[in-house]
Amino acid sequence: MHESIDALSRGGGLAAWRQIADALEGEIATGDLAPGAQLPTEAALAARFSVNRHTVRRALATLAERGLIRASQGRGTFVEAAPLAYPIGRRTRFSEIVTGAGREPWGDLITHREIAAPPECAAMLAVPEGAPLLELLTVHRADGVPLSTARTWLPLPRFAGFAPAYERSGSITRALAACGVPDYTRASTRIRARLADPAEAARLDLTPGRVVIVVSSVNVDGEGVPVQANRAVFAADRVEVVVGT
Amino acid sequence: MHESIDALSRGGGLAAWRQIADALEGEIATGDLAPGAQLPTEAALAARFSVNRHTVRRALATLAERGLIRASQGRGTFVEAAPLAYPIGRRTRFSEIVTGAGREPWGDLITHREIAAPPECAAMLAVPEGAPLLELLTVHRADGVPLSTARTWLPLPRFAGFAPAYERSGSITRALAACGVPDYTRASTRIRARLADPAEAARLDLTPGRVVIVVSSVNVDGEGVPVQANRAVFAADRVEVVVGT
DNA sequence: AGTAATTTGTGCGTATGTATA
DNA sequence: GTATACATACGCACAAATTAC
């Protein structure tokens, strides 16, 4: 590998570390440094820009802060994969989003059972507290990589046949259609963030203590009747939630 | 204090820990247990429900997982303050959101300076890379508690007078009006989550390593011209982002 | 299995220019 | 003008994690 020597404008009021950060950000933006690619070592970058390694580290720190790169002790520094853009709107469909990104969607049904509606779910679904609900625990993948794990609640007895239909099709949309709900729209969405608990980390194939985005939503049928409440937990570094346009 | 003995329905197919969790969730929902209040000790709850302390712990764990309570070793278990609902839409105004919640908004201008547009900002504002931008670093508070810290970029020379106007009014809306932009709408919003870096933690008065929600957005004027790009960092346990109705 | 090499992470000390008081 | 504080930049040394042999 042949590394060029890039000259920085010194003493021109623009800090050397900022010029280095901008140069590297440009190479990432143009795809010269593709997602997943390893950056030159800090020592190599220091030589290329003719600066101390500390100066390079400061530049890398600003890029890492913004999630463009990730440093791994003993291994190197790598360009982060661009997170999957997950648009949230009135007609959000997981399968359409993943398919639109050129990847293969699938939802695995982990467990399902009947429960009495706890207060929070009862309010979201507009049913009495303690009413029978079907609770499903699912994991959603794109090209096999888990993006989210979700708990879904549906009122019983209306959706008694939902679980087997979901297991067959791997799709909320198709399973709802099998229960006589040809169309649904998203009524409300709340977005929070916290650390993954061990169970979520295992389901998402994350190291414990990583950040997750929690999206709680309610879907309603054509008559505005709530058919499904949902709490999806996304791996924060694999997904970016996009609102509106 | 006089603790009642609550009877659980045993052997009815409903786990004792879930009944306890539902009972406590109900007390939190009704405000019987107010935000910030300390729960009875695990031993006291075990006596109240006539169960083993392990059963109480399982119930508390489910509530803690959902962010309703927070256990602090050696101190006790406390009801989490309800996060401020932060609606995101085409006409999001920080001041209106906070005012609507019955709290007092203010934005502090920490620093402002002129920079050359880095690639990411240039794309958001639709200006050439390296074009002059005004960058502001601000902290936004509700009743004095910092909710978010933001970096805002505005194209120069159009908004040369923005910084002093913002410092006077503490409001993006009013400062833009002073620059001849009477109205603006949100064109796009991206939501991510990660750990707070030390600088952000200090500005938000957080212990380092806490989770933050990062909301990147672009605002456009009446003609659809981008006037402002923004990256706001919210303390995740003080704010909940709400989309749509 | 174990050792060495590579690479990032951390700390200390020093020097310089630039604002601010 | 002087003093102070701060950001920037350099040099050296070592720790910690990973990989290669």
Side-chain angles (χ1 to χ4, degrees):
Chain A
M1 185 61 186
H2 203 290
E3 286 291 345
S4 60
I5 307 279
D6 290 15
L8 305 179
S9 78
R10 306 304 285 261
L14 198 56
W17 64 264
R18 189 167 288 276
Q19 297 178 56
I20 295 170
D22 287 349
L24 294 175
E25 184 181 345
E27 291 179 29
I28 293 171
T30 61
D32 210 5
L33 283 169
Q38 182 170 7
L39 272 71
T41 66
E42 296 175 352
L45 289 171
R48 167 178 160 192
F49 291 106
S50 305
V51 296
N52 190 272
R53 189 164 78 99
H54 282 300
T55 310
V56 169
R57 283 183 62 75
R58 178 147 191 196
L60 294 180
T62 64
L63 299 181
E65 180 186 350
R66 289 161 45 201
L68 274 70
I69 62 175
R70 178 183 299 270
S72 179
Q73 192 171 4
R75 298 205 308 133
T77 307
F78 301 85
V79 180
E80 281 279 29
L84 178 73
Y86 196 93
I88 291 220
R90 293 192 65 77
R91 294 189 46 80
T92 298
R93 299 289 186 272
F94 177 80
S95 52
E96 293 175 8
I97 291 166
V98 174
T99 304
R103 300 166 78 175
E104 194 59 34
W106 188 255
D108 281 327
L109 179 59
I110 308 298
T111 63
H112 64 96
R113 56 178 183 173
E114 186 175 334
I115 64 166
E120 193 192 6
C121 298
M124 285 200 286
L125 288 172
V127 299
E129 204 174 309
L133 298 181
L134 177 66
E135 181 188 69
L136 298 95
L137 179 57
T138 51
V139 172
H140 305 264
R141 303 168 192 276
D143 284 346
V145 178
L147 289 183
S148 71
T149 176
R151 267 176 218 281
T152 301
W153 297 278
L154 302 111
L156 291 175
R158 182 175 179 189
F159 295 100
F162 185 89
Y166 182 82
E167 206 150 19
R168 273 197 306 277
S169 63
S171 160
I172 295 268
T173 305
R174 289 195 285 269
L176 278 176
C179 292
V181 179
D183 193 30
Y184 63 95
T185 56
R186 187 178 285 248
S188 73
T189 304
R190 300 179 303 133
I191 300 171
R192 306 166 77 156
R194 55 173 170 76
L195 295 178
D197 67 37
E200 292 163 350
R203 287 199 295 274
L204 292 174
D205 195 19
L206 287 175
T207 57
R210 299 297 288 277
V211 178
V212 292
I213 300 174
V214 183
V215 178
S216 304
S217 59
V218 177
N219 286 319
V220 298
D221 65 13
E223 281 79 42
V225 178
V227 293
Q228 177 213 54
N230 189 278
R231 190 173 73 238
V233 178
F234 290 87
D237 50 8
R238 294 179 196 153
V239 173
E240 168 181 88
V241 176
V242 177
V243 177
T245 47
Chain B
M1 186 63 186
H2 205 292
E3 286 293 344
S4 61
I5 306 278
D6 290 13
L8 304 180
S9 78
R10 306 304 286 259
L14 198 54
W17 66 265
R18 188 168 290 274
Q19 297 179 56
I20 297 170
D22 288 349
L24 294 175
E25 183 181 346
E27 292 180 28
I28 292 172
T30 61
D32 211 6
L33 282 168
Q38 181 170 7
L39 272 72
T41 66
E42 294 175 356
L45 289 170
R48 169 178 157 191
F49 292 106
S50 305
V51 296
N52 190 274
R53 180 164 158 262
H54 286 301
T55 311
V56 170
R57 285 183 61 75
R58 180 156 186 191
L60 294 181
T62 66
L63 299 181
E65 180 186 347
R66 288 161 46 200
L68 271 70
I69 63 175
R70 177 184 300 269
S72 177
Q73 196 171 7
R75 296 203 307 134
T77 306
F78 300 85
V79 180
E80 282 279 19
L84 177 74
Y86 195 92
I88 292 223
R90 291 191 63 77
R91 295 188 46 80
T92 300
R93 299 288 186 272
F94 177 80
S95 52
E96 291 174 8
I97 291 166
V98 175
T99 305
R103 300 168 79 174
E104 192 60 36
W106 187 255
D108 280 328
L109 179 59
I110 308 299
T111 61
H112 64 97
R113 58 176 182 170
E114 184 174 338
I115 63 166
E120 191 192 9
C121 299
M124 284 200 286
L125 288 172
V127 298
E129 203 175 312
L133 298 181
L134 177 66
E135 181 187 68
L136 297 95
L137 180 58
T138 53
V139 172
H140 304 263
R141 303 169 191 276
D143 287 346
V145 177
L147 289 183
S148 71
T149 177
R151 267 176 215 281
T152 301
W153 297 276
L154 303 110
L156 290 175
R158 182 174 179 189
F159 295 100
F162 185 90
Y166 183 82
E167 204 148 23
R168 274 196 306 275
S169 64
S171 159
I172 296 270
T173 306
R174 289 195 285 271
L176 278 177
C179 291
V181 179
D183 192 29
Y184 63 93
T185 56
R186 190 177 284 248
S188 74
T189 304
R190 299 179 304 136
I191 300 171
R192 307 165 76 157
R194 54 173 171 78
L195 296 177
D197 67 37
E200 290 163 351
R203 288 200 293 273
L204 292 174
D205 196 17
L206 287 174
T207 57
R210 298 297 288 278
V211 179
V212 291
I213 300 174
V214 182
V215 179
S216 304
S217 60
V218 177
N219 286 317
V220 298
D221 64 14
E223 282 79 43
V225 178
V227 293
Q228 178 213 51
N230 189 277
R231 189 172 73 238
V233 177
F234 291 86
D237 49 9
R238 295 179 194 152
V239 173
E240 168 181 87
V241 176
V242 178
V243 178
T245 56

